Amino acid sequence: MDFNFTPEDEAFRHELRSWLEKNAPKGLENSDSLAEETDDDADWNRRVAWFKKLQQAGWVGIDWPKEYGGRGASILQTIVYYQELARAKAPVPYIGQGPSLVAPTLMHWGNDEQKKRFIPKIVSADEIWCQGYSEPNSGSDLASLQTKAIDDGDDFVVTGQKIWTSSAQHADWIFLLVRTDSEAPKHKGISYLLVDMHSPGVTVRPLVQMTGAKGFNEVFFDDVRVPKKNLVGEKNQGWQVAITTLMFERRGAGGPGTGQIRELAKLAKQIPRNGGTAWDDSSVRQKIAEFYSEGEALKYTGFRQLTRRLKGLPPGPEGSMMKLVSTELSLKVSLFAMELLGPYSQLEYKAPFAMDEGKWLFRMLGVRGGTIAAGTNQIQHNIIGERVLGLPKG
């Protein structure tokens, strides 16, 4: 592919860079994955305020069509957008699953009434969304879900439970997979509903992780009435809609990137060892160089995926490959940081005397979740083995 950006792309970069230099929030330089995972109220409010500031200046949903409040930016300009956010050390705008998952899904599957009702409030951050897919006994085998929706006049009546629901404690709405035909094969008989989280019968309970964060939740539905106008796509055909949402989710799944690996190198230069620092040890430098090389390989694999999109081709196996390798790399980087820190690795996030604020322990405790989210790595191995390498099913 051609790695040069067009004059239009560079003009877009200049405009965004100039705006970020004046408006990027200060003091949030480390709000990468930690910000999403800590998810306390104060941090959440800062993230919503940052999202709204971006939105008011036209820097949210930049690749969306202009009719939905976007800028109609090209694929390459979207790449520039994330490059410039990283350069400015500005947080990626995250306020739940509305902008990244449900809004693009509604653009594809929603009817005109649904698009007009929901998309403007998603892009303005006036309504926060969460995702209702996983259940206690339906994780990787999502199609085995048992939350049911009974047809009752103008409504569906929903009963069941969802789990690992990120940001549900902040959410106004949830996009929900439910079983509407218990006699159909498991990939059939599923419907995709939009449910008001303030409806009677909805209960949210936090799941406290080993990091102390409460960003995940259980959500219970006890005879919750949902208007039939909130059905997306056809009744009993929700699996197709759900797969569209998953494609957007896996497109956004990523790993530590070379920025976090640079942080690891900086940490090594701070840790005392044998009269010098850990960085003086050639084996430490070699390991960090190995991580950096993997990060660069991931970047160029991403360019392969980008090339397919620029050519108008359907998504290839790169998504599963990147999800698998990037989350494994995140895990290796965090575990190696624990080795470098030695006894200091036991100090919690923001604890007194913790090196680097204790953020590496927080990352290590939470990073394995990335190998489970958006389709477990075991599932990604199967996809790559069967669909890319042509291996027989196990």
Side-chain angles (χ1 to χ4, degrees):
M1 65 172 290
D2 183 355
F3 288 92
N4 296 310
F5 291 95
T6 67
E8 291 79 8
D9 297 333
E10 292 298 345
F12 177 88
R13 183 192 302 278
H14 176 75
E15 181 186 359
L16 176 57
R17 182 177 296 184
S18 298
W19 187 87
L20 286 171
E21 287 174 352
K22 297 175 183 177
N23 294 280
K26 307 299 180 184
L28 296 180
E29 289 81 1
N30 291 327
S31 58
D32 52 3
S33 59
L34 295 186
E36 183 174 338
E37 295 298 333
T38 51
D39 210 14
D40 59 38
D41 289 341
D43 178 71
W44 178 264
N45 292 335
R46 286 193 295 270
R47 293 160 72 78
V48 171
W50 171 234
F51 184 98
K52 289 189 173 185
K53 190 172 186 178
L54 284 164
Q55 188 273 329
Q56 290 164 5
W59 294 114
V60 166
I62 59 163
D63 58 341
W64 293 8
K66 293 181 180 179
E67 64 185 290
Y68 298 121
R71 295 175 68 103
S74 68
I75 294 172
L76 285 178
Q77 287 170 352
T78 304
I79 300 300
V80 169
Y81 177 79
Y82 288 105
Q83 287 179 340
E84 290 303 310
L85 285 176
R87 181 183 182 276
K89 297 182 179 179
V92 173
Y94 172 81
I95 54 162
Q97 313 302 334
S100 59
L101 299 185
V102 71
T105 301
L106 287 175
M107 291 177 200
H108 186 77
W109 287 98
N111 58 40
D112 289 342
E113 181 182 355
Q114 291 167 344
K115 292 174 183 178
K116 291 177 182 178
R117 163 62 185 86
F118 293 109
I119 293 177
K121 289 183 178 290
I122 291 172
V123 76
S124 67
D126 289 332
E127 290 179 345
I128 306 299
W129 285 75
C130 60
Q131 179 180 26
Y133 274 24
S134 295
E135 298 183 4
N137 295 310
S138 300
S140 296
D141 185 15
L142 179 60
S144 66
L145 63 91
Q146 294 300 311
T147 296
K148 61 182 180 180
I150 304 299
D151 194 316
D152 186 18
D154 293 332
D155 298 332
F156 292 106
V157 179
V158 177
T159 303
Q161 177 189 357
K162 298 294 179 176
I163 200 166
W164 314 127
T165 311
S166 299
S167 303
Q169 76 273 35
H170 302 297
D172 301 295
W173 286 83
I174 184 171
F175 53 100
L176 193 68
L177 287 187
V178 294
R179 188 159 296 285
T180 43
D181 185 350
S182 59
E183 302 299 322
K186 67 179 186 179
H187 286 84
K188 305 291 184 181
I190 290 174
S191 296
Y192 192 109
L193 296 181
L194 310 178
V195 180
D196 187 341
M197 290 287 284
H198 306 291
S199 302
V202 177
T203 303
V204 177
R205 296 179 187 168
L207 293 169
V208 182
Q209 303 162 58
M210 67 175 73
T211 59
K214 303 174 184 177
F216 291 146
N217 301 270
E218 296 176 289
V219 185
F220 298 87
F221 302 88
D222 184 10
D223 293 334
V224 177
R225 301 194 74 85
V226 181
K228 287 184 177 177
K229 66 181 180 180
N230 290 0
L231 172 69
V232 180
E234 298 295 327
K235 180 182 176 182
N236 296 328
Q237 300 299 317
W239 187 251
Q240 294 173 300
V241 187
I243 291 300
T244 300
T245 303
L246 283 173
M247 288 176 63
F248 287 115
E249 183 176 22
R250 288 173 185 170
R251 186 180 72 178
T258 54
Q260 193 177 115
I261 298 167
R262 289 192 187 97
E263 286 186 52
L264 182 65
K266 183 178 178 181
L267 175 68
K269 295 173 183 177
Q270 298 171 349
I271 296 174
R273 179 179 291 183
N274 300 328
T277 68
W279 184 254
D280 297 327
D281 187 332
S282 62
S283 65
V284 170
R285 297 196 304 273
Q286 184 172 346
K287 178 59 71 173
I288 294 176
E290 177 186 319
F291 294 151
Y292 191 89
S293 297
E294 287 190 51
E296 286 291 287
L298 276 168
K299 180 177 75 173
Y300 286 102
T301 301
F303 286 155
R304 290 172 56 193
Q305 189 174 34
L306 174 61
T307 300
R308 292 183 64 89
R309 293 177 63 194
L310 290 171
K311 291 180 178 180
L313 298 173
E318 294 85 6
S320 289
M321 293 164 60
M322 290 186 68
K323 193 276 179 184
L324 172 64
V325 177
S326 64
T327 53
E328 294 291 345
L329 177 57
S330 291
L331 181 59
K332 289 189 291 186
V333 167
S334 296
L335 290 174
F336 188 68
M338 296 294 97
E339 292 183 40
L340 288 179
L341 285 164
Y344 283 95
S345 66
Q346 300 175 67
L347 297 179
E348 294 180 338
Y349 182 47
K350 294 187 177 179
F353 309 111
M355 295 189 70
D356 221 354
E357 295 189 307
K359 65 185 180 185
W360 292 100
L361 174 61
F362 189 100
R363 284 173 174 160
M364 188 279 293
L365 292 174
V367 72
R368 197 173 291 275
T371 69
I372 301 170
T376 68
N377 283 10
Q378 290 83 357
I379 294 294
Q380 305 308 321
H381 275 293
N382 285 345
I383 292 173
I384 294 167
E386 294 170 11
R387 302 182 188 176
V388 180
L389 302 178
L391 299 176
K393 292 186 177 182

